Amino acid sequence: MFGAIGRVFGSRRSRGYPRSNVVLSFSHDGLAIARVKSNRRWLPIWHIIFFVYVALLIRLVIIADMGPGGYQARMLELQTGNVIERAAARIMALDPVSQSIATRIRASLMSINENVFERES
């Protein structure tokens, strides 16, 4: 029954597919289906890059909302906390590039607030 499947996948094994990567299963009508199991990573690199990008974006929004002074005060408060809070304060520390981008975002949000919505900040 598996003679033809063995010939097809036997040649793939000889080209570098180990025996454990061949998966045999049966469809709903009883036919044997042979597939080669994927060797892809469980967590692709782009997931990690996307997570770092979103974390930086959240940090910019928080700095723009609180202002650099309020953000720095909160980071100093976190540095006196437990181990996790100290690690978070070290990771989320204010750097010059983030501070300049957040200051520009804050200035443009305040400008939109005053000019479009006609509200004082």
Side-chain angles (χ1 to χ4, degrees):
M1 179 176 173
F2 291 117
I5 294 172
R7 283 192 301 270
V8 170
F9 283 97
S11 63
R12 284 193 180 179
R13 277 196 302 262
S14 66
R15 284 182 276 152
Y17 287 106
R19 185 174 189 85
S20 63
N21 282 349
V22 177
V23 178
L24 293 173
S25 62
F26 294 94
S27 66
H28 66 282
D29 57 358
L31 294 176
I33 300 171
R35 294 178 279 124
V36 176
K37 196 163 56 168
S38 175
N39 288 332
R40 291 191 296 180
R41 291 185 179 113
W42 176 76
L43 184 65
I45 299 297
W46 72 269
H47 282 146
I48 298 169
I49 293 170
F50 182 73
F51 176 76
V52 169
Y53 176 75
V54 168
L56 291 174
L57 187 64
I58 289 171
R59 185 171 86 173
L60 285 175
V61 169
I62 291 171
I63 295 170
D65 182 48
M66 296 175 73
Y71 186 81
Q72 193 64 30
R74 179 67 181 139
M75 289 300 111
L76 289 174
E77 187 179 314
L78 280 176
Q79 288 175 352
T80 61
N82 61 21
V83 175
I84 295 172
E85 290 175 346
R86 287 191 301 243
R90 183 169 290 188
I91 291 170
M92 298 293 282
L94 190 61
D95 61 298
V97 175
S98 296
Q99 184 176 0
S100 66
I101 293 171
T103 304
R104 291 179 185 164
I105 292 172
R106 185 176 176 87
S108 52
L109 288 176
M110 290 175 75
S111 173
I112 290 171
N113 197 19
E114 291 172 358
N115 297 331
V116 175
F117 298 115
E118 298 175 356
R119 289 185 268 185
E120 293 292 324
S121 309

